[in-house]
Amino acid sequence: RMVADDTTFDVEQVRLEAGSLLDVGDLTDNRFEGPIFVPLDHIPQLADNERFHDVMIISSVLTSGQTLDLLPLGTVTTVDQRYVFDGDVTVQSTATLNLHEDVRVSINPNAIVTVDGVMDVDAADSITFVDAGAGNLTGIDVNGLLDLAHTQIIKASNGGGLTRIIVHIGGRLVADNTTFGVEEIEFEPGSLLG
């Protein structure tokens, strides 16, 4: 368990592994100058801190029935703050992951976001798929609903890897006023568009 108040973390990284304990009020009024690595379920407990740079989302699961809102973090400033999917993340059936207005998101090489429930992206600043080279796959796999509105999907390339959104059988993609910059959007037979 980690507890800190009014502390500046100017270290290479702060890492809270899956299974670590973090309660409401454990981290308040802090400044994170480097990346903080957390599972999805720790993100709500970060809200009362002054500033962040990269909030690195490690491999984790948003379990069925849960809703998680990704909002810009920082009580003093949200400048330079972004969420980075650094490992595979699953949004289970009946779970909802909401990316809100002005949120910046990046998906690192070899990270896959699997949406079995709902991923609702409404006016996020951008979602950047990072390609680190040959043999890498970065993307979103949709078995549930991916709903994109007023969002820019960007590929940041170092060359050779694949960035994609794949909508599997029974999955659905809804997009409104969205720019797609990934290499591949694949609709399997039996998937839904709109």
Side-chain angles (χ1 to χ4, degrees), residues 40 43-44 62 66-73 83 96-100 103 120:
L40 284 170
I43 291 173
L62 186 61
Q66 289 186 318
T67 296
L68 177 62
D69 294 313
L70 296 186
L71 300 158
L73 284 175
Y83 294 97
T96 301
L97 178 61
N98 296 310
L99 279 61
H100 289 277
V103 166
D120 184 21

Side-chain angles (χ1 to χ4, degrees), residues 54-151:
D54 288 342
V55 175
M56 310 293 288
I57 301 171
I58 62 174
S59 292
S60 48
V61 174
L62 186 61
T63 57
S64 292
Q66 289 186 318
T67 296
L68 177 62
D69 294 313
L70 296 186
L71 300 158
L73 284 175
T75 58
V76 173
T77 183
T78 61
V79 172
D80 295 329
Q81 189 268 318
R82 70 177 175 163
Y83 294 97
V84 179
F85 289 93
D86 194 52
D88 292 340
V89 169
T90 300
V91 179
Q92 287 186 335
S93 157
T94 73
T96 301
L97 178 61
N98 296 310
L99 279 61
H100 289 277
E101 187 173 351
D102 298 327
V103 166
R104 289 187 314 137
V105 173
S106 183
I107 303 174
N108 271 353
N110 292 323
I112 302 293
V113 178
T114 301
V115 181
D116 295 329
V118 175
M119 183 170 169
D120 184 21
V121 183
D122 188 9
D125 180 66
S126 63
I127 299 175
T128 301
F129 289 60
V130 181
D131 163 20
N136 290 306
L137 172 64
T138 303
I140 300 176
D141 284 2
V142 182
N143 301 300
L145 171 63
L146 176 59
D147 190 350
L148 303 168
H150 308 282
T151 299

Side-chain angles (χ1 to χ4, degrees), residues 152-176:
Q152 192 174 25
I153 311 292
I154 302 166
K155 176 187 176 184
S157 178
N158 293 333
L162 179 62
T163 58
R164 73 163 190 206
I165 297 172
I166 184 168
V167 185
H168 296 283
I169 297 168
R172 182 176 178 199
L173 172 64
V174 176
D176 175 39

